Each structure stands twice: as structure tokens, then as C-alpha cells.
DNA sequence: TGTCATTGAATGATGCGTCATGTAATGTCC
DNA sequence: GGACATTACATGACGCATCATTCAATGACA
């Protein structure tokens, strides 16, 4: 590979990095200050809201989230402690747990989604 | 803003997130296993190599790196302990410190840069 | 020149994500 | 149906980034 092509690759990577960090930092800061939850918490709520109809087990979450199983377990812990989510037993497989939005969780999601979308529009490269 | 436009924004964000996480995870994993340094350490070495001619103070690093001043201080700590970098007093301003690549650091950077570029090519969206 | 604000850098407390591991429950195969 | 592997999830240890704070040096200004 030529030196110029390599240089271009590095610049492309730095641009990606910059766009991602700028956006995720802005999201995290605003979601925290306005709604009291971090970005990963919000995005988990968002996934739960999206799949609310089918029902969502921990395992399903790991399939659609970029987070680790372990991280998701702790995120759901925090959301549960805050009352935004609850775990429910799964009749077909007693190892599994359903994760469900509570009233408060659905309400918070509605509010925070506005902030989220607004910041995406402000930060994402057009 | 229309619902569809909002939805598209969210998809754009998830794509950005996915591309960034996939690439940075791959980079971090390979740089660690092949060269024993993390991604942020490497990118700091990379910046130092890039600005080697002018001389690079801590403060200059914070201007070109996406990392925090505090994080950079600790990254340089680790690089220094590993012998890849050294801090040197700054005559014009005794609060400042120059950060310089050592022989070993320059050598490691040469090797690791190959891995870095290779993984960028493999992971970045063409 | 003495006072006060600012700057460059280091550090301690804290939060969070990851890895490795543990523990049930389930599946498989003889 | 009993032994073994596998799956779903939780947890503890660890690393690392961040924030707030601290400290020393410098600048500004009366």
C-alpha cells in the first residue's frame, strides 16, 4: 500500500474517531444532566422500547446491543434500581429473564428520546 | 422533523457507533497482544512521532489528542514506565514538560504502526 | 513589587466496562 | 436416566478514563 493511501486511511480513522467521540460525549453529558441517565443506559432503554411488543430477554439484548453481556447485566441493574426497568421470570426457560420497561421507564424514554434525537441532529455529519 | 428523518438519524448514529467500536476494539486487541500497548498509548506515540521535529509538550499533546489532560498524564506515565517515552524539563516555562520518544519508543512505534495501518484497512468502511 | 488570576501538569476518588469465573438450568448422547 | 457440554445470567477483580482538586510557575496590573 502506498504511503499516501496509508495516510488517507489514518485521516479517515481520525475523522471517524472524532465524530464518534464528539457525539457520544455530547449525548452522555446532556442525557446525564437533563435526565439523569448515561448514554448506554438510554440506548438500552431505547432498544427495550423498540422491542417491547415481542418481549426482550437479557439474551436478546446482547444480540442487538454493542455492549457486552456483562456490561448489560450491570446497566440493567442500574436501570432496575432506578425503577425504569424490571426483570421478570421466563416460563419456557428458567435461566432466562425478561427485561421490561416500567411506566416510569417508558416515560423517561419518551422524554430522553427527544434530547437524543436533537443532539444527533446537532452533532452528526450532515 | 419528520419521523422518517429522525429514524434515519438514529440509524446513521448506530452505523457510526458500530464502525467505531468494531475498529477500536480490533485495534486495541491486536496492539495489546502483538506489541503490549493499548490503542490510546499507541495513538499517543503516533502523535509524538508526528511532532517529533518541533518538540512536543504535554500541553501540545492535549491540543492534538482527543484524550483529556488527565488521561494523557497517565498515558505518558505508563509509556514512561515502559521506557518508550521520557519527560524533559522546558527551559522557557518551568511548568511545562517536553515529552520525547526514546529509542525503544521510536522502534516500537515503527513496528506497531504496521499493525495499526493493517487493521485500519481491514476494518474501515471502504 | 505585591496581589490576584491564570496556566501546565499531577493526583485521588469515583464510575464504568471487560475479562474470567461461578452457578443454575437446559440439551445431548450413550 | 446419568454424565458431560452448553447456555443464560451474575459477580468480583481489574484497568482505565473522568472530574475535581491541588500545586507550582507565570502573567497582569495597580
Amino acid at each position: 500500500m502506498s504511503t499516501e493511501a496509508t495516510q488517507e486511511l489514518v485521516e479517515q480513522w481520525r475523522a471517524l474517531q472524532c465524530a464518534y467521540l464528539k457525539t457520544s460525549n455530547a449525548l452522555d453529558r446532556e442525557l446525564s444532566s437533563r435526565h439523569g441517565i448515561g448514554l448506554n443506559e438510554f440506548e438500552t432503554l431505547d432498544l427495550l422500547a423498540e422491542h417491547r411488543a415481542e418481549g426482550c430477554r437479557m439474551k436478546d439484548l446482547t444480540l442487538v446491543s454493542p455492549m457486552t453481556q456483562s456490561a448489560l447485566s450491570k446497566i440493567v441493574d442500574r436501570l432496575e434500581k432506578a425503577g425504569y426497568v424490571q426483570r421478570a421470570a421466563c416460563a419456557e426457560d428458567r435461566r432466562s429473564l425478561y427485561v421490561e420497561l416500567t411506566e416510569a421507564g417508558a416515560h423517561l424514554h419518551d422524554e430522553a428520546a427527544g434530547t437524543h434525537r436533537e443532539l444527533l441532529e446537532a452533532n452528526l455529519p450532515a
Side-chain angles (χ1 to χ4, degrees), chain A:
Chain A
M1 189 164 54
S2 75
T3 305
E4 310 83 54
T6 290
Q7 194 49 38
E8 195 175 330
L9 214 53
V10 172
E11 276 159 27
Q12 191 187 339
W13 165 240
R14 289 187 182 165
L16 174 64
Q17 201 174 209
C18 175
Y20 173 77
L21 293 175
K22 174 170 149 255
T23 307
S24 75
N25 286 338
L27 283 169
D28 204 41
R29 196 169 15 253
E30 289 305 310
L31 287 169
S32 294
S33 66
R34 298 193 205 172
H35 308 285
I37 55 171
L39 176 56
N40 290 333
E41 270 104 342
F42 171 77
E43 303 210 307
T44 302
L45 281 186
D46 210 27
L47 291 174
L48 288 174
E50 210 170 322
H51 298 88
R52 205 173 184 181
E54 318 97 86
C56 194
R57 291 162 301 172
M58 273 292 173
K59 190 222 156 145
D60 303 320
L61 262 184
T62 65
L63 298 179
V64 292
S65 168
M67 307 292 305
T68 297
Q69 175 265 324
S70 167
L72 281 172
S73 181
K74 298 180 185 186
I75 289 172
V76 170
D77 274 353
R78 275 174 258 145
L79 289 173
E80 190 171 32
K81 260 163 206 140
Y84 298 134
V85 133
Q86 62 192 27
R87 291 184 234 236
C90 172
E92 310 89 63
D93 186 340
R94 301 211 314 259
R95 293 169 303 180
S96 283
L97 290 176
Y98 281 104
V99 187
E100 298 160 354
L101 285 181
T102 60
E103 268 314 301
H107 187 249
L108 176 68
H109 175 257
D110 282 349
E111 291 187 343
T115 300
H116 188 247
R117 303 339 181 206
E118 169 193 323
L119 286 170
L120 286 187
E121 194 174 15
N123 285 281
L124 249 34

